[in-house]
Amino acid sequence: RLGPTCELAYHLLPAHWGHGYMGEACRAALQWASSSYPGCLFEAYIEPGNRPSIVLAERLGFERADELREGARRYHLEAAGGRSADGPR
C-alpha cells in the first residue's frame, strides 16, 4: 500500500514498566493521529524478543507483517477516516 504512514515509536525507563503508561500514551497518540491524518497507515517496528511491546501493539490493534527491518519486525494498523485507532484495552 502506498500513501502516508505514521510510525509509532516509544521508549520507557524500566522503573516505569508494568503500570500501563505506554498503553495509555499510545492510545492517545493513535487517537490524535487518526483524527489528524484519516486513513493513515500506522507502523511499529519491534524486535522479535521484545514480548511486552508485541503484546501492547497487538492490544492496540496492530497486525504483524512479514517484513523485517534491521532485525525488527514490522507491525501495522490502518486507521479509517474519522475512526479512532483506539484498540482494545
Side-chain angles (χ1 to χ4, degrees), residues 23-62:
E24 184 176 343
C26 288
R27 280 189 289 279
L30 289 169
Q31 186 172 18
W32 174 84
S34 293
S35 63
S36 298
Y37 304 98
C40 183
L41 176 68
F42 296 101
E43 298 179 325
Y45 289 87
I46 305 170
E47 293 180 9
N50 189 345
R51 189 74 191 137
S53 284
I54 292 169
V55 169
L56 174 59
E58 291 173 346
R59 283 186 185 152
L60 293 168
F62 280 78

Side-chain angles (χ1 to χ4, degrees), residues 6-88:
C6 299
E7 185 172 349
L8 179 66
Y10 52 84
H11 179 80
L12 189 64
L13 294 173
H16 304 289
W17 294 357
H19 299 284
Y21 301 141
M22 255 323 113
E24 184 176 343
C26 288
R27 280 189 289 279
L30 289 169
Q31 186 172 18
W32 174 84
S34 293
S35 63
S36 298
Y37 304 98
C40 183
L41 176 68
F42 296 101
E43 298 179 325
Y45 289 87
I46 305 170
E47 293 180 9
N50 189 345
R51 189 74 191 137
S53 284
I54 292 169
V55 169
L56 174 59
E58 291 173 346
R59 283 186 185 152
L60 293 168
F62 280 78
E63 296 178 3
R64 179 182 157 163
D66 290 330
E67 179 184 336
L68 288 172
R69 185 194 320 169
E70 298 177 19
R73 171 86 49 205
R74 179 177 170 264
Y75 288 77
H76 60 91
L77 171 68
E78 188 166 350
R83 178 180 67 85
S84 169
D86 187 74

